[in-house]
Amino acid sequence: MARPTPLSGFPEWLPDGRVVEQHVLEVLRHTFELHGFAGIETRAVEPLDQLLRKGETSKEVYVLRRLQDEDGDQARGDQRPDKQLGLHFDLTVPFARYVLENAGRLAFPFKRYQIQKVWRGERPQDGRFREFVQADIDVVGAGELPYHYEVELPLVMAEALGALRDVGVPEVRILVNNRKVAEGFYRGLGLDDVEGVLRQVDKLDKIGPDAVAELLQAEQGATPEQAKACLELAGISGADTGVIDRVRALAGSYGAGTDLLETGLAELGALVEAAARRAPGVVVADLKIARGLDYYTGSVYETVLVGHEQLGSICSGGRYDTLASDGKNTYPGVGLSIGVSRLVSRLLSAGLVTATRGVPTAVLVAVADEEHRAQSDAVAAALRSRGIPVDVAPAAAKFGKQIKFADRRGIPFVWFPGQAGEDDVVGPDQVKDIRSGEQKDADASVWTPPEQDLRPRVVPAGE
RNA sequence: GUGGCUAUAGCUCAGUCGGUAGAGCGCCUGGUUGUGGUCCAGGAGGUCGCCGGUUCAAGCCCGGUUAGCCACCCCA
């Protein structure tokens, strides 16, 4: 068989990259649990009609089909959306389904974290995958959900990402907006296609203000005056409550003030104020943040890595009021999702973060000759019994080759079992630190490597 | 789904006017007779993505195809 080529969009890390990814996952999980989020996992598949809910028909869902299915079966079963299965596209929609399914057994407000792979049938690119890991936190309430959770959730994410700073992850900036502000402002202007306007405004960074103004007039039927107002709103950003005053003044100058706008401004102001106190410099109000997903109804969030803005958002989310609803009860929620694969791929490709080694092994026990392999195995067992990860040399090659074996894997220590001299007296075991070359007598029942060498560590690259 | 670019050794890439394939790094062996890394010498490794066409002759030109990358769309 010819050597297989990698499948684009389905990332696979080498062992040292996996060490980095697992560290990221551990830090996220630890932070989520510190804040009281319970971990859950949902199945990988959902009925297709669940995945293609209103406004999400453009999503490119991978559909499941059994090879054994015959044409007749497909005609009967696979074509019915309520029977067909698709791989989940994100973790929010499956979570909403899970909440409805288990509503009677959950305690509300329910806080959960969920770290799983998701699949999207889109064209892959740098930082864009068809199979990737998301790490979500959400809070849902029964019937209602206090606004303060919209303040707290992004701050949990800020803390989680901040906890990765010491391994080389860049600073993050969480950009926030509020759907009520945008909707209130646009409706106050007389623009009723709020979705359409948001979609055009979202392109601002890529195509520039002039092109957006043209699109607003051509596609959304805005007047030049209305388009100008939309662009002025999108131009407002800042990390303090001054932005609220500026939006209010802008709306006033266009006679676009509405109750909805005022509600949104109060919420956005509260978020900015709390964030400035609890995570100074991280959260920035940015009135051009739109978000494509239509189920958001309040706060919306996007997160960029400072210096890597072109990568796009690595952590997004928002408030949704009707995602989980069975007709009788609704469970409003707010949540954010970290794109773990997008983050990790950049950490590795940009050489920001590195693992000290790709194998767990701290010590390689050399084998003098195959007759003495049992002696080496005994040393390994003694070290392992005290929690030290050990490997035994695969062959009784020349010691130079055995040292090289360790060196290529980043194993810091090579252990030489004592050998009998000419007088048949067995000498002491020795352990060599192959980085410094230092070698000294050692006893496998008591010797311990330095703490920082015991396991692979994740560190800023270049250290 | 649309558009552009690319495809040669394990990796990064060169390859002139069309004349049967190159470098660096990595790997293996030896120098060093059982303690690596440096250095020196030697060696292995290629269906030039695939199919077809033009030509005496194609890695190179033409057509197709597949895959990858980038941009758009959308998004983590």
mmCIF file of all heavy atoms in Angstrom, chain A residues 8 120 125-126 128-129 291 313 316 368 399 407 434, chain B residues 1 29 34-36 68-71 73-76:
data_model
loop_
_atom_site.group_PDB
_atom_site.id
_atom_site.type_symbol
_atom_site.label_atom_id
_atom_site.label_comp_id
_atom_site.label_asym_id
_atom_site.label_seq_id
_atom_site.Cartn_x
_atom_site.Cartn_y
_atom_site.Cartn_z
ATOM 1 N N SER A 8 -6.856 16.473 4.833
ATOM 2 C CA SER A 8 -6.949 17.879 5.200
ATOM 3 C C SER A 8 -8.153 18.151 6.096
ATOM 4 O O SER A 8 -9.240 17.677 5.842
ATOM 5 C CB SER A 8 -7.072 18.704 3.920
ATOM 6 O OG SER A 8 -7.296 20.046 4.227
ATOM 7 N N ARG A 120 -17.561 19.495 10.980
ATOM 8 C CA ARG A 120 -18.203 20.410 10.035
ATOM 9 C C ARG A 120 -17.669 20.132 8.635
ATOM 10 O O ARG A 120 -16.452 20.077 8.440
ATOM 11 C CB ARG A 120 -17.915 21.871 10.404
ATOM 12 C CG ARG A 120 -18.465 22.230 11.772
ATOM 13 C CD ARG A 120 -18.281 23.690 12.099
ATOM 14 N NE ARG A 120 -18.747 23.925 13.459
ATOM 15 C CZ ARG A 120 -18.743 25.093 14.074
ATOM 16 N NH1 ARG A 120 -18.302 26.158 13.419
ATOM 17 N NH2 ARG A 120 -19.188 25.207 15.306
ATOM 18 N N GLN A 125 -8.823 25.213 6.256
ATOM 19 C CA GLN A 125 -7.828 26.267 6.052
ATOM 20 C C GLN A 125 -6.962 26.308 7.297
ATOM 21 O O GLN A 125 -7.187 25.570 8.227
ATOM 22 C CB GLN A 125 -8.528 27.620 5.906
ATOM 23 C CG GLN A 125 -8.694 28.110 4.494
ATOM 24 C CD GLN A 125 -9.486 29.388 4.461
ATOM 25 O OE1 GLN A 125 -9.086 30.391 5.012
ATOM 26 N NE2 GLN A 125 -10.635 29.324 3.819
ATOM 27 N N ASP A 126 -6.019 27.231 7.297
ATOM 28 C CA ASP A 126 -5.201 27.398 8.492
ATOM 29 C C ASP A 126 -6.119 27.747 9.666
ATOM 30 O O ASP A 126 -6.798 28.770 9.635
ATOM 31 C CB ASP A 126 -4.191 28.521 8.250
ATOM 32 C CG ASP A 126 -3.261 28.687 9.434
ATOM 33 O OD1 ASP A 126 -3.076 27.700 10.186
ATOM 34 O OD2 ASP A 126 -2.730 29.781 9.624
ATOM 35 N N ARG A 128 -8.799 26.213 10.506
ATOM 36 C CA ARG A 128 -10.182 25.800 10.264
ATOM 37 C C ARG A 128 -10.201 24.334 9.905
ATOM 38 O O ARG A 128 -9.565 23.915 8.953
ATOM 39 C CB ARG A 128 -10.795 26.600 9.126
ATOM 40 C CG ARG A 128 -10.826 28.064 9.381
ATOM 41 C CD ARG A 128 -11.595 28.743 8.290
ATOM 42 N NE ARG A 128 -12.918 28.137 8.152
ATOM 43 C CZ ARG A 128 -13.797 28.527 7.232
ATOM 44 N NH1 ARG A 128 -13.479 29.446 6.375
ATOM 45 N NH2 ARG A 128 -14.984 27.968 7.184
ATOM 46 N N PHE A 129 -10.938 23.559 10.664
ATOM 47 C CA PHE A 129 -10.891 22.114 10.519
ATOM 48 C C PHE A 129 -12.266 21.521 10.264
ATOM 49 O O PHE A 129 -13.279 22.166 10.493
ATOM 50 C CB PHE A 129 -10.283 21.503 11.784
ATOM 51 C CG PHE A 129 -8.920 22.054 12.113
ATOM 52 C CD1 PHE A 129 -8.753 22.949 13.147
ATOM 53 C CD2 PHE A 129 -7.824 21.695 11.352
ATOM 54 C CE1 PHE A 129 -7.495 23.474 13.431
ATOM 55 C CE2 PHE A 129 -6.567 22.211 11.637
ATOM 56 C CZ PHE A 129 -6.397 23.097 12.676
ATOM 57 N N ARG A 291 -21.717 38.136 15.193
ATOM 58 C CA ARG A 291 -21.966 36.699 15.311
ATOM 59 C C ARG A 291 -23.006 36.256 14.286
ATOM 60 O O ARG A 291 -24.066 36.828 14.189
ATOM 61 C CB ARG A 291 -22.449 36.289 16.712
ATOM 62 C CG ARG A 291 -21.603 36.799 17.853
ATOM 63 C CD ARG A 291 -20.246 36.104 17.959
ATOM 64 N NE ARG A 291 -20.386 34.652 17.960
ATOM 65 C CZ ARG A 291 -19.769 33.848 17.139
ATOM 66 N NH1 ARG A 291 -18.940 34.319 16.264
ATOM 67 N NH2 ARG A 291 -19.940 32.560 17.198
ATOM 68 N N SER A 313 -11.671 34.080 15.762
ATOM 69 C CA SER A 313 -12.032 33.898 17.167
ATOM 70 C C SER A 313 -11.642 32.508 17.656
ATOM 71 O O SER A 313 -11.844 31.516 16.976
ATOM 72 C CB SER A 313 -13.533 34.111 17.345
ATOM 73 O OG SER A 313 -13.899 33.837 18.680
ATOM 74 N N SER A 316 -15.955 31.770 21.341
ATOM 75 C CA SER A 316 -17.115 32.595 21.034
ATOM 76 C C SER A 316 -18.354 32.046 21.710
ATOM 77 O O SER A 316 -18.398 30.883 22.121
ATOM 78 C CB SER A 316 -17.369 32.627 19.527
ATOM 79 O OG SER A 316 -16.247 33.125 18.856
ATOM 80 N N ALA A 368 23.235 -4.276 29.172
ATOM 81 C CA ALA A 368 24.633 -4.558 28.851
ATOM 82 C C ALA A 368 24.732 -5.673 27.808
ATOM 83 O O ALA A 368 25.464 -5.575 26.826
ATOM 84 C CB ALA A 368 25.396 -4.944 30.112
ATOM 85 N N PHE A 399 26.640 1.096 24.073
ATOM 86 C CA PHE A 399 26.059 2.096 24.966
ATOM 87 C C PHE A 399 25.856 3.441 24.256
ATOM 88 O O PHE A 399 24.908 4.178 24.542
ATOM 89 C CB PHE A 399 26.911 2.266 26.214
ATOM 90 C CG PHE A 399 26.731 1.148 27.218
ATOM 91 C CD1 PHE A 399 27.754 0.782 28.087
ATOM 92 C CD2 PHE A 399 25.528 0.455 27.293
ATOM 93 C CE1 PHE A 399 27.579 -0.245 29.005
ATOM 94 C CE2 PHE A 399 25.343 -0.577 28.208
ATOM 95 C CZ PHE A 399 26.378 -0.933 29.075
ATOM 96 N N ASP A 407 18.357 10.090 23.831
ATOM 97 C CA ASP A 407 18.505 11.487 23.424
ATOM 98 C C ASP A 407 17.450 11.870 22.392
ATOM 99 O O ASP A 407 16.838 12.931 22.474
ATOM 100 C CB ASP A 407 19.912 11.687 22.853
ATOM 101 C CG ASP A 407 20.222 13.159 22.633
ATOM 102 O OD1 ASP A 407 19.776 13.978 23.463
ATOM 103 O OD2 ASP A 407 20.889 13.482 21.642
ATOM 104 N N ILE A 434 22.011 12.895 30.546
ATOM 105 C CA ILE A 434 22.653 13.017 29.236
ATOM 106 C C ILE A 434 22.675 14.450 28.716
ATOM 107 O O ILE A 434 23.282 14.726 27.683
ATOM 108 C CB ILE A 434 22.000 12.081 28.192
ATOM 109 C CG1 ILE A 434 20.556 12.481 27.907
ATOM 110 C CG2 ILE A 434 22.097 10.646 28.628
ATOM 111 C CD1 ILE A 434 19.956 11.677 26.770
ATOM 112 P P G B 1 -18.379 20.586 -3.404
ATOM 113 O OP1 G B 1 -19.246 20.067 -2.326
ATOM 114 O OP2 G B 1 -18.265 19.891 -4.694
ATOM 115 O "O5'" G B 1 -18.889 22.065 -3.743
ATOM 116 C "C5'" G B 1 -20.162 22.269 -4.343
ATOM 117 C "C4'" G B 1 -20.447 23.731 -4.369
ATOM 118 O "O4'" G B 1 -20.540 24.225 -3.005
ATOM 119 C "C3'" G B 1 -19.360 24.602 -4.990
ATOM 120 O "O3'" G B 1 -19.446 24.616 -6.398
ATOM 121 C "C2'" G B 1 -19.624 25.961 -4.352
ATOM 122 O "O2'" G B 1 -20.687 26.616 -4.991
ATOM 123 C "C1'" G B 1 -20.053 25.555 -2.941
ATOM 124 N N9 G B 1 -18.931 25.593 -1.992
ATOM 125 C C8 G B 1 -18.380 24.530 -1.323
ATOM 126 N N7 G B 1 -17.395 24.884 -0.530
ATOM 127 C C5 G B 1 -17.299 26.267 -0.687
ATOM 128 C C6 G B 1 -16.412 27.207 -0.097
ATOM 129 O O6 G B 1 -15.509 26.985 0.721
ATOM 130 N N1 G B 1 -16.660 28.509 -0.537
ATOM 131 C C2 G B 1 -17.622 28.850 -1.440
ATOM 132 N N2 G B 1 -17.695 30.138 -1.750
ATOM 133 N N3 G B 1 -18.453 27.979 -2.000
ATOM 134 C C4 G B 1 -18.235 26.721 -1.585
ATOM 135 P P U B 29 24.088 2.235 12.543
ATOM 136 O OP1 U B 29 23.933 1.019 13.373
ATOM 137 O OP2 U B 29 24.205 3.570 13.185
ATOM 138 O "O5'" U B 29 25.359 2.051 11.597
ATOM 139 C "C5'" U B 29 25.528 0.864 10.844
ATOM 140 C "C4'" U B 29 26.788 0.933 10.023
ATOM 141 O "O4'" U B 29 26.651 1.965 9.013
ATOM 142 C "C3'" U B 29 28.046 1.347 10.787
ATOM 143 O "O3'" U B 29 28.615 0.271 11.524
ATOM 144 C "C2'" U B 29 28.942 1.830 9.650
ATOM 145 O "O2'" U B 29 29.483 0.740 8.933
ATOM 146 C "C1'" U B 29 27.928 2.546 8.760
ATOM 147 N N1 U B 29 27.859 3.991 9.053
ATOM 148 C C2 U B 29 28.844 4.793 8.505
ATOM 149 O O2 U B 29 29.747 4.356 7.823
ATOM 150 N N3 U B 29 28.741 6.133 8.811
ATOM 151 C C4 U B 29 27.759 6.733 9.578
ATOM 152 O O4 U B 29 27.800 7.950 9.756
ATOM 153 C C5 U B 29 26.775 5.829 10.110
ATOM 154 C C6 U B 29 26.858 4.521 9.837
ATOM 155 P P G B 34 33.388 -3.072 22.099
ATOM 156 O OP1 G B 34 34.015 -3.987 23.091
ATOM 157 O OP2 G B 34 32.104 -3.399 21.497
ATOM 158 O "O5'" G B 34 33.337 -1.644 22.796
ATOM 159 C "C5'" G B 34 32.685 -0.534 22.244
ATOM 160 C "C4'" G B 34 31.745 0.047 23.276
ATOM 161 O "O4'" G B 34 30.668 -0.894 23.524
ATOM 162 C "C3'" G B 34 32.407 0.315 24.620
ATOM 163 O "O3'" G B 34 31.808 1.469 25.189
ATOM 164 C "C2'" G B 34 31.991 -0.875 25.462
ATOM 165 O "O2'" G B 34 31.892 -0.601 26.852
ATOM 166 C "C1'" G B 34 30.603 -1.157 24.912
ATOM 167 N N9 G B 34 30.177 -2.537 25.097
ATOM 168 C C8 G B 34 30.848 -3.673 24.767
ATOM 169 N N7 G B 34 30.181 -4.749 25.074
ATOM 170 C C5 G B 34 29.013 -4.284 25.651
ATOM 171 C C6 G B 34 27.916 -4.978 26.184
ATOM 172 O O6 G B 34 27.755 -6.179 26.253
ATOM 173 N N1 G B 34 26.951 -4.110 26.663
ATOM 174 C C2 G B 34 27.028 -2.747 26.632
ATOM 175 N N2 G B 34 26.004 -2.079 27.131
ATOM 176 N N3 G B 34 28.044 -2.071 26.129
ATOM 177 C C4 G B 34 28.995 -2.897 25.667
ATOM 178 P P U B 35 32.584 2.847 25.285
ATOM 179 O OP1 U B 35 33.202 3.095 23.979
ATOM 180 O OP2 U B 35 33.412 2.847 26.516
ATOM 181 O "O5'" U B 35 31.401 3.868 25.498
ATOM 182 C "C5'" U B 35 30.388 4.041 24.503
ATOM 183 C "C4'" U B 35 29.678 5.338 24.775
ATOM 184 O "O4'" U B 35 28.877 5.180 25.978
ATOM 185 C "C3'" U B 35 30.636 6.497 25.038
ATOM 186 O "O3'" U B 35 30.039 7.675 24.538
ATOM 187 C "C2'" U B 35 30.716 6.553 26.559
ATOM 188 O "O2'" U B 35 31.000 7.824 27.060
ATOM 189 C "C1'" U B 35 29.288 6.136 26.941
ATOM 190 N N1 U B 35 29.220 5.490 28.261
ATOM 191 C C2 U B 35 28.569 6.174 29.273
ATOM 192 O O2 U B 35 28.045 7.259 29.111
ATOM 193 N N3 U B 35 28.540 5.534 30.477
ATOM 194 C C4 U B 35 29.082 4.305 30.763
ATOM 195 O O4 U B 35 28.971 3.846 31.901
ATOM 196 C C5 U B 35 29.738 3.658 29.667
ATOM 197 C C6 U B 35 29.782 4.271 28.483
ATOM 198 P P G B 36 30.671 8.355 23.214
ATOM 199 O OP1 G B 36 31.320 7.332 22.377
ATOM 200 O OP2 G B 36 31.449 9.515 23.678
ATOM 201 O "O5'" G B 36 29.380 8.881 22.457
ATOM 202 C "C5'" G B 36 28.633 8.004 21.605
ATOM 203 C "C4'" G B 36 27.342 8.662 21.244
ATOM 204 O "O4'" G B 36 26.466 8.687 22.403
ATOM 205 C "C3'" G B 36 27.470 10.134 20.843
ATOM 206 O "O3'" G B 36 27.746 10.241 19.465
ATOM 207 C "C2'" G B 36 26.093 10.694 21.185
ATOM 208 O "O2'" G B 36 25.150 10.383 20.185
ATOM 209 C "C1'" G B 36 25.740 9.894 22.431
ATOM 210 N N9 G B 36 26.048 10.557 23.692
ATOM 211 C C8 G B 36 27.130 10.345 24.515
ATOM 212 N N7 G B 36 27.090 11.059 25.613
ATOM 213 C C5 G B 36 25.916 11.785 25.498
ATOM 214 C C6 G B 36 25.339 12.733 26.391
ATOM 215 O O6 G B 36 25.761 13.106 27.476
ATOM 216 N N1 G B 36 24.140 13.244 25.866
ATOM 217 C C2 G B 36 23.587 12.890 24.673
ATOM 218 N N2 G B 36 22.454 13.476 24.362
ATOM 219 N N3 G B 36 24.110 11.995 23.844
ATOM 220 C C4 G B 36 25.262 11.496 24.317
ATOM 221 P P G B 68 -6.881 17.048 0.730
ATOM 222 O OP1 G B 68 -7.070 16.541 2.101
ATOM 223 O OP2 G B 68 -8.001 17.702 0.021
ATOM 224 O "O5'" G B 68 -5.658 18.053 0.723
ATOM 225 C "C5'" G B 68 -4.463 17.739 1.429
ATOM 226 C "C4'" G B 68 -3.400 18.746 1.123
ATOM 227 O "O4'" G B 68 -3.172 18.805 -0.312
ATOM 228 C "C3'" G B 68 -3.711 20.184 1.494
ATOM 229 O "O3'" G B 68 -3.504 20.452 2.865
ATOM 230 C "C2'" G B 68 -2.748 20.957 0.601
ATOM 231 O "O2'" G B 68 -1.438 20.897 1.109
ATOM 232 C "C1'" G B 68 -2.795 20.120 -0.681
ATOM 233 N N9 G B 68 -3.773 20.639 -1.643
ATOM 234 C C8 G B 68 -5.008 20.113 -1.957
ATOM 235 N N7 G B 68 -5.632 20.803 -2.878
ATOM 236 C C5 G B 68 -4.764 21.839 -3.185
ATOM 237 C C6 G B 68 -4.898 22.915 -4.119
ATOM 238 O O6 G B 68 -5.826 23.166 -4.863
ATOM 239 N N1 G B 68 -3.782 23.749 -4.097
ATOM 240 C C2 G B 68 -2.675 23.561 -3.291
ATOM 241 N N2 G B 68 -1.707 24.467 -3.418
ATOM 242 N N3 G B 68 -2.535 22.567 -2.437
ATOM 243 C C4 G B 68 -3.614 21.753 -2.435
ATOM 244 P P C B 69 -4.339 21.609 3.574
ATOM 245 O OP1 C B 69 -4.030 21.529 5.014
ATOM 246 O OP2 C B 69 -5.735 21.541 3.114
ATOM 247 O "O5'" C B 69 -3.699 22.941 2.986
ATOM 248 C "C5'" C B 69 -2.374 23.328 3.311
ATOM 249 C "C4'" C B 69 -1.973 24.548 2.529
ATOM 250 O "O4'" C B 69 -2.072 24.259 1.103
ATOM 251 C "C3'" C B 69 -2.870 25.762 2.701
ATOM 252 O "O3'" C B 69 -2.580 26.491 3.877
ATOM 253 C "C2'" C B 69 -2.575 26.558 1.435
ATOM 254 O "O2'" C B 69 -1.328 27.222 1.523
ATOM 255 C "C1'" C B 69 -2.438 25.438 0.400
ATOM 256 N N1 C B 69 -3.708 25.178 -0.310
ATOM 257 C C2 C B 69 -4.070 26.049 -1.354
ATOM 258 O O2 C B 69 -3.320 26.994 -1.628
ATOM 259 N N3 C B 69 -5.222 25.838 -2.039
ATOM 260 C C4 C B 69 -6.000 24.797 -1.719
ATOM 261 N N4 C B 69 -7.126 24.631 -2.405
ATOM 262 C C5 C B 69 -5.663 23.911 -0.649
ATOM 263 C C6 C B 69 -4.525 24.132 0.018
ATOM 264 P P C B 70 -3.763 27.318 4.598
ATOM 265 O OP1 C B 70 -3.190 27.857 5.844
ATOM 266 O OP2 C B 70 -4.966 26.480 4.647
ATOM 267 O "O5'" C B 70 -4.044 28.522 3.589
ATOM 268 C "C5'" C B 70 -3.079 29.545 3.402
ATOM 269 C "C4'" C B 70 -3.504 30.486 2.313
ATOM 270 O "O4'" C B 70 -3.655 29.760 1.057
ATOM 271 C "C3'" C B 70 -4.866 31.151 2.489
ATOM 272 O "O3'" C B 70 -4.824 32.238 3.382
ATOM 273 C "C2'" C B 70 -5.182 31.572 1.064
ATOM 274 O "O2'" C B 70 -4.436 32.720 0.699
ATOM 275 C "C1'" C B 70 -4.655 30.377 0.276
ATOM 276 N N1 C B 70 -5.730 29.396 -0.011
ATOM 277 C C2 C B 70 -6.588 29.663 -1.082
ATOM 278 O O2 C B 70 -6.421 30.700 -1.743
ATOM 279 N N3 C B 70 -7.590 28.786 -1.368
ATOM 280 C C4 C B 70 -7.734 27.690 -0.634
ATOM 281 N N4 C B 70 -8.725 26.859 -0.952
ATOM 282 C C5 C B 70 -6.870 27.397 0.473
ATOM 283 C C6 C B 70 -5.897 28.264 0.745
ATOM 284 P P A B 71 -6.167 32.653 4.173
ATOM 285 O OP1 A B 71 -5.785 33.746 5.087
ATOM 286 O OP2 A B 71 -6.811 31.437 4.695
ATOM 287 O "O5'" A B 71 -7.105 33.253 3.023
ATOM 288 C "C5'" A B 71 -6.870 34.554 2.514
ATOM 289 C "C4'" A B 71 -7.793 34.846 1.364
ATOM 290 O "O4'" A B 71 -7.660 33.823 0.342
ATOM 291 C "C3'" A B 71 -9.282 34.845 1.665
ATOM 292 O "O3'" A B 71 -9.724 36.018 2.326
ATOM 293 C "C2'" A B 71 -9.872 34.702 0.265
ATOM 294 O "O2'" A B 71 -9.781 35.916 -0.444
ATOM 295 C "C1'" A B 71 -8.893 33.693 -0.351
ATOM 296 N N9 A B 71 -9.393 32.324 -0.191
ATOM 297 C C8 A B 71 -9.006 31.361 0.712
ATOM 298 N N7 A B 71 -9.668 30.227 0.589
ATOM 299 C C5 A B 71 -10.556 30.474 -0.451
ATOM 300 C C6 A B 71 -11.538 29.675 -1.070
ATOM 301 N N6 A B 71 -11.812 28.428 -0.718
ATOM 302 N N1 A B 71 -12.256 30.226 -2.081
ATOM 303 C C2 A B 71 -11.992 31.491 -2.437
ATOM 304 N N3 A B 71 -11.089 32.337 -1.938
ATOM 305 C C4 A B 71 -10.398 31.755 -0.945
ATOM 306 P P C B 73 -16.588 36.828 2.836
ATOM 307 O OP1 C B 73 -17.400 38.056 2.822
ATOM 308 O OP2 C B 73 -15.633 36.587 3.938
ATOM 309 O "O5'" C B 73 -17.568 35.578 2.750
ATOM 310 C "C5'" C B 73 -18.711 35.607 1.920
ATOM 311 C "C4'" C B 73 -19.410 34.273 1.938
ATOM 312 O "O4'" C B 73 -18.502 33.254 1.475
ATOM 313 C "C3'" C B 73 -19.843 33.784 3.313
ATOM 314 O "O3'" C B 73 -21.088 34.335 3.723
ATOM 315 C "C2'" C B 73 -19.916 32.281 3.107
ATOM 316 O "O2'" C B 73 -21.119 31.917 2.460
ATOM 317 C "C1'" C B 73 -18.746 32.041 2.160
ATOM 318 N N1 C B 73 -17.525 31.644 2.890
ATOM 319 C C2 C B 73 -17.327 30.294 3.190
ATOM 320 O O2 C B 73 -18.177 29.478 2.839
ATOM 321 N N3 C B 73 -16.209 29.923 3.866
ATOM 322 C C4 C B 73 -15.307 30.834 4.238
ATOM 323 N N4 C B 73 -14.232 30.415 4.884
ATOM 324 C C5 C B 73 -15.483 32.210 3.940
ATOM 325 C C6 C B 73 -16.592 32.574 3.272
ATOM 326 P P C B 74 -21.176 35.094 5.114
ATOM 327 O OP1 C B 74 -22.561 35.577 5.240
ATOM 328 O OP2 C B 74 -20.057 36.049 5.222
ATOM 329 O "O5'" C B 74 -20.954 33.944 6.183
ATOM 330 C "C5'" C B 74 -21.972 32.974 6.408
ATOM 331 C "C4'" C B 74 -21.370 31.698 6.956
ATOM 332 O "O4'" C B 74 -20.159 31.390 6.224
ATOM 333 C "C3'" C B 74 -20.904 31.748 8.404
ATOM 334 O "O3'" C B 74 -21.977 31.585 9.323
ATOM 335 C "C2'" C B 74 -19.938 30.574 8.443
ATOM 336 O "O2'" C B 74 -20.635 29.347 8.467
ATOM 337 C "C1'" C B 74 -19.253 30.706 7.075
ATOM 338 N N1 C B 74 -18.008 31.482 7.170
ATOM 339 C C2 C B 74 -16.854 30.775 7.534
ATOM 340 O O2 C B 74 -16.941 29.563 7.754
ATOM 341 N N3 C B 74 -15.677 31.449 7.635
ATOM 342 C C4 C B 74 -15.626 32.755 7.390
ATOM 343 N N4 C B 74 -14.460 33.362 7.495
ATOM 344 C C5 C B 74 -16.788 33.501 7.022
ATOM 345 C C6 C B 74 -17.950 32.829 6.923
ATOM 346 P P C B 75 -21.900 32.275 10.756
ATOM 347 O OP1 C B 75 -23.062 31.826 11.519
ATOM 348 O OP2 C B 75 -21.632 33.700 10.563
ATOM 349 O "O5'" C B 75 -20.594 31.623 11.376
ATOM 350 C "C5'" C B 75 -20.703 30.636 12.390
ATOM 351 C "C4'" C B 75 -19.494 29.747 12.389
ATOM 352 O "O4'" C B 75 -18.663 30.059 11.252
ATOM 353 C "C3'" C B 75 -18.563 29.900 13.576
ATOM 354 O "O3'" C B 75 -18.997 29.128 14.674
ATOM 355 C "C2'" C B 75 -17.243 29.400 13.018
ATOM 356 O "O2'" C B 75 -17.202 27.991 13.029
ATOM 357 C "C1'" C B 75 -17.298 29.877 11.569
ATOM 358 N N1 C B 75 -16.591 31.150 11.330
ATOM 359 C C2 C B 75 -15.203 31.152 11.393
ATOM 360 O O2 C B 75 -14.599 30.108 11.669
ATOM 361 N N3 C B 75 -14.530 32.309 11.170
ATOM 362 C C4 C B 75 -15.209 33.422 10.874
ATOM 363 N N4 C B 75 -14.519 34.539 10.654
ATOM 364 C C5 C B 75 -16.630 33.447 10.809
ATOM 365 C C6 C B 75 -17.269 32.295 11.043
ATOM 366 P P A B 76 -18.803 29.686 16.177
ATOM 367 O OP1 A B 76 -19.823 29.053 17.023
ATOM 368 O OP2 A B 76 -18.697 31.142 16.120
ATOM 369 O "O5'" A B 76 -17.379 29.106 16.602
ATOM 370 C "C5'" A B 76 -17.030 29.035 17.968
ATOM 371 C "C4'" A B 76 -15.537 28.841 18.057
ATOM 372 O "O4'" A B 76 -15.191 27.506 17.607
ATOM 373 C "C3'" A B 76 -14.758 29.772 17.150
ATOM 374 O "O3'" A B 76 -14.538 31.004 17.767
ATOM 375 C "C2'" A B 76 -13.491 28.985 16.881
ATOM 376 O "O2'" A B 76 -12.584 29.157 17.926
ATOM 377 C "C1'" A B 76 -13.991 27.548 16.884
ATOM 378 N N9 A B 76 -14.245 27.045 15.530
ATOM 379 C C8 A B 76 -15.370 27.202 14.776
ATOM 380 N N7 A B 76 -15.306 26.607 13.607
ATOM 381 C C5 A B 76 -14.053 26.022 13.602
ATOM 382 C C6 A B 76 -13.373 25.248 12.657
ATOM 383 N N6 A B 76 -13.880 24.914 11.470
ATOM 384 N N1 A B 76 -12.128 24.824 12.963
ATOM 385 C C2 A B 76 -11.623 25.165 14.137
ATOM 386 N N3 A B 76 -12.158 25.886 15.117
ATOM 387 C C4 A B 76 -13.398 26.290 14.780
#
